């Protein structure tokens, strides 16, 4: 979905608010990337869906600590839960 209207601000309740929030790269991603030379990932947090940069260690906690499963349930993809 692309925004064809020129707006200065998109507020909650606007049809494009969630899409914009969930597809915007966090401003501090470079700092996280520099912490882990092995790589990093962007993950959508359970509850908000906001993208957050994560180090390899953070990603493992996200995947195997239950938050990934919560996120899959929220978006209706519970059949993809890690076993």
């Amino acid at each position: 979905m692309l925004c064809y209207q020129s707006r200065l601000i998109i507020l909650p309740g606007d049809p494009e608010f969630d899409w914009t929030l969930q597809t915007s790269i966090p401003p501090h991603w470079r700092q996280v990337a520099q912490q882990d030379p092995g790589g990093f990932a962007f993950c959508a947090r359970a509850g908000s869906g906001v993208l957050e940069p994560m180090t390899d260690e953070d990603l493992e906690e996200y995947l195997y600590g239950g938050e990934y499963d919560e996120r899959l349930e929220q978006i209706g993809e519970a059949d993809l839960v890690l076993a």
Side-chain angles (χ1 to χ4, degrees), residues 3 10 16 19-20 22 25 30 37 51 56-57 62 68 81:
C3 179
I10 299 173
E16 295 182 22
W19 180 84
T20 302
Q22 294 171 0
I25 295 176
R30 291 180 199 267
L51 291 179
D56 190 41
E57 186 177 299
Y62 175 83
Y68 178 63
V81 172

Side-chain angles (χ1 to χ4, degrees), residues 66-79 81:
E67 188 172 358
Y68 178 63
D69 297 339
E70 289 177 38
R71 179 67 181 145
L72 289 176
E73 288 177 13
Q74 289 172 350
I75 62 173
E77 298 291 337
D79 56 331
V81 172

Side-chain angles (χ1 to χ4, degrees), residues 22-83:
Q22 294 171 0
T23 58
S24 299
I25 295 176
H28 66 288
W29 73 270
R30 291 180 199 267
Q31 290 86 353
V32 175
Q34 291 172 350
Q35 290 177 11
D36 190 355
F40 71 99
F42 292 110
C43 295
R45 284 291 187 187
S48 67
V50 175
L51 291 179
E52 182 175 318
M54 296 184 179
T55 63
D56 190 41
E57 186 177 299
D58 295 335
L59 179 60
E60 283 192 36
E61 175 63 30
Y62 175 83
L63 291 173
Y64 301 109
E67 188 172 358
Y68 178 63
D69 297 339
E70 289 177 38
R71 179 67 181 145
L72 289 176
E73 288 177 13
Q74 289 172 350
I75 62 173
E77 298 291 337
D79 56 331
L80 298 176
V81 172
L82 294 177

